[in-house]
């Protein structure tokens, strides 16, 4: 997260009176992350996270992912739970923004994900997909293939200032993705942003998933592709096949990928790389003045996209196409 919108102590103390979570003892802005404004609160009843939802989150979508967190937790997927205010609502408004309070989840996210972490996230992702099967709400993904060109339009004129040739590189890839994007793969509830900083571990044991504001209904294997990009590259930008194999095998033990999903995975991984390349590029070119935020590097995702363009088949991710079970 980050802090785009600040909150005065008196306003926060007053706001907390509408909840039954104790009196405010202290609070601080969380600099990590890039999407929303987040604060760590300590009250007389414990630790909580206050989120003020910013640009990419529509207020109407808040019930979707706040209900989703409750739905998943009921089915054994560990994730934070929203606090209800005295009116029984999980969302309200603070400092002119939609706001929610969730409980603090123990654990730390892995700064250098290892093979065990990749296995853990593969298993958790599949369990989330299975647990989401009977989730009744629907939210289309605004950042799927139809949303990429509008994002590119926001950055196109200045793309080459970030890297010469970037404009044409993205334009060509977008043409390909729009023409080839699959429409017949299994869909369901996806997290859509399950990066290492959204997965907490205690040692090598996964303790929970956070950060659901991008959750939506989309191609399930696209979520797997997002994770391949986010978890299986090394700091020197090389792709780690051992990590990919661990992630895919662990996923497949809970929810085996079909042959069609496996065949589509390299294309989905190109799309996943494009999605994060574009949001990072737009953010990089438009840092709000005075915001406490460290924009993420768009070029990291150019490199990942180039790698995914070179992938011929799922064998390049370390598994055989017969299915994902080890
Ligand atoms: N429920 C929670 N329990 C403990 N810490 C949390 C919780 N939610 C958020 N945090 C802390 O806040 C940081 C940022 O949160 P989060 O990833 O949800 O923000 P964001 O702005 O939506 O970020 P991004 O989308 O860039 O990952 C986390 O890395 C973690 O340190
Ligand atoms: N996880 C995203 C930021 C939040 O959308 C990224 O690393 O670009």
């Amino acid at each position: 997260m980050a802090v785009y919108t600040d909150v005065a102590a008196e306003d926060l103390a007053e706001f907390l009176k509408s909840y039954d979570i104790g009196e405010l003892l202290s609070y601080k802005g969380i600099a990590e992350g890039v999407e929303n404004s987040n604060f760590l609160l300590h009250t007389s009843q414990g630790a909580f996270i206050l989120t003020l939802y910013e640009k990419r989150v529509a207020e109407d979508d808040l019930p979707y992912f706040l209900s989703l967190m409750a739905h998943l937790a009921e089915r054994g997927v560990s994730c934070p739970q929203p606090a209800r205010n005295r009116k029984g609502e999980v969302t309200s408004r603070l400092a002119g923004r939609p706001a929610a309070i969730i409980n603090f989840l123990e654990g730390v996210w892995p700064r250098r994900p290892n093979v065990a972490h990749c296995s853990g996230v593969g298993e958790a992702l599949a369990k989330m997909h299975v647990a989401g099967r009977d989730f009744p709400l629907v939210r289309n993904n605004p950042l799927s293939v139809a949303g990429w060109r509008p994002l590119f339009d926001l950055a196109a004129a200045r793309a080459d200032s970030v890297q010469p040739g970037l404009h044409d590189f993205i334009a060509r890839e977008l043409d390909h993705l729009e023409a080839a994007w699959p429409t017949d793969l299994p869909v369901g509830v996806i997290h859509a942003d399950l990066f290492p900083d959204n997965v907490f571990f205690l040692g090598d044991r996964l303790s929970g998933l956070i950060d659901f504001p991008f959750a939506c209904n989309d191609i399930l294997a696209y979520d797997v592709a997002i994770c391949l990009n986010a978890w299986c590259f090394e700091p020197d930008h090389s792709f780690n096949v051992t990590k990919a194999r661990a992630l895919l095998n662990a996923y497949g033990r809970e929810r085996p990928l079909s042959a069609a999903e496996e065949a589509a995975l390299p294309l989905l991984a190109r799309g996943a790389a494009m999605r994060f390349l574009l949001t990072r590029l737009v953010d990089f070119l438009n840092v709000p003045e005075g915001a406490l935020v460290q924009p993420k590097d768009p070029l990291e995702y150019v490199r990942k996209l180039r790698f995914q363009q070179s992938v011929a088949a799922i064998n390049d991710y370390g598994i055989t196409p017969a299915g994902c079970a080890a």
Side-chain angles (χ1 to χ4, degrees):
M1 309 204 187
V3 177
Y4 297 99
T5 306
D6 226 333
V7 178
E10 317 78 69
D11 296 341
L12 180 54
E14 192 57 35
F15 177 74
L16 289 188
K17 287 184 187 158
S18 60
Y19 286 82
D20 187 17
I21 60 168
E23 296 210 349
L24 184 64
L25 301 177
S26 66
Y27 76 107
K28 64 173 187 200
I30 300 176
E32 248 173 13
V34 295
E35 293 294 338
N36 302 302
S37 298
N38 288 283
F39 301 85
L40 174 61
L41 315 182
H42 287 284
T43 78
S44 49
Q45 287 185 23
F48 298 87
I49 301 286
L50 164 71
T51 302
L52 304 183
Y53 295 96
E54 305 281 348
K55 56 190 176 171
R56 289 209 179 94
V57 181
E59 195 160 3
D60 289 351
D61 288 334
L62 293 179
Y64 178 89
F65 52 78
L66 292 166
S67 314
L68 177 61
M69 290 196 279
H71 177 95
L72 294 176
E74 279 164 19
R75 284 154 186 78
V77 177
S78 171
C79 56
Q81 293 306 292
R84 289 187 183 278
N85 64 21
R86 293 182 194 280
K87 290 188 205 150
E89 300 157 339
V90 289
T91 60
S92 43
R93 290 191 76 84
L94 179 61
R97 300 267 178 234
I101 295 176
I102 57 175
N103 66 295
F104 185 85
L105 201 70
E106 294 299 335
V108 288
W109 65 267
R111 270 59 182 174
R112 294 286 303 268
N114 60 28
V115 174
H117 294 131
C118 291
S119 183
V121 77
E123 177 184 341
L125 183 69
K127 285 185 168 162
M128 191 204 123
H129 288 170
V130 172
R133 276 180 189 152
D134 58 344
F135 184 58
L137 304 183
V138 175
R139 174 178 184 251
N140 292 325
N141 186 1
L143 293 177
S144 190
V145 63
W148 299 338
R149 196 166 289 276
L151 274 175
F152 183 43
D153 289 343
L154 296 175
R158 288 188 287 157
D160 283 358
S161 70
V162 177
Q163 186 177 67
L166 187 56
H167 176 280
D168 289 355
F169 172 73
I170 295 175
R172 270 196 307 275
E173 180 67 9
L174 263 183
D175 287 345
H176 172 72
L177 290 170
E178 286 170 349
W181 200 245
T183 53
D184 51 359
L185 294 175
V187 295
V189 174
I190 69 166
H191 183 286
D193 192 23
L194 203 55
F195 278 54
D197 60 354
N198 291 330
V199 184
F200 285 7
F201 288 84
L202 291 164
D204 281 344
R205 194 178 60 77
L206 192 148
S207 59
L209 312 179
I210 66 164
D211 200 9
F212 286 78
F214 289 112
C216 57
N217 295 69
D218 202 350
I219 298 170
L220 293 169
Y222 176 61
D223 226 8
V224 180
I226 289 172
C227 288
L228 281 177
N229 284 336
W231 289 81
C232 302
F233 285 86
E234 296 299 312
D236 69 2
H237 313 300
S238 61
F239 186 74
N240 187 322
V241 176
T242 309
K243 290 181 179 175
R245 184 186 301 121
L247 193 155
L248 291 171
N249 280 340
Y251 183 93
R253 280 192 285 273
E254 302 296 326
R255 179 185 172 270
L257 290 173
S258 69
E261 287 177 300
E262 287 188 349
L265 208 49
L267 175 66
L268 296 172
R270 285 170 71 162
M274 174 60 85
R275 177 265 189 247
F276 289 97
L277 162 56
L278 287 171
T279 47
R280 285 180 175 206
L281 186 61
V282 169
D283 290 350
F284 187 83
L285 293 170
N286 298 288
V287 175
E289 213 172 303
L292 175 62
V293 64
Q294 179 65 45
K296 300 197 177 181
D297 179 14
L299 298 183
E300 180 189 337
Y301 268 79
V302 172
R303 291 188 200 94
K304 290 180 177 180
L305 177 49
R306 287 191 197 282
F307 169 81
Q308 298 296 1
Q309 288 173 329
S310 76
V311 170
I314 193 163
N315 310 54
D316 293 351
Y317 300 138
I319 65 167
T320 49
C324 286

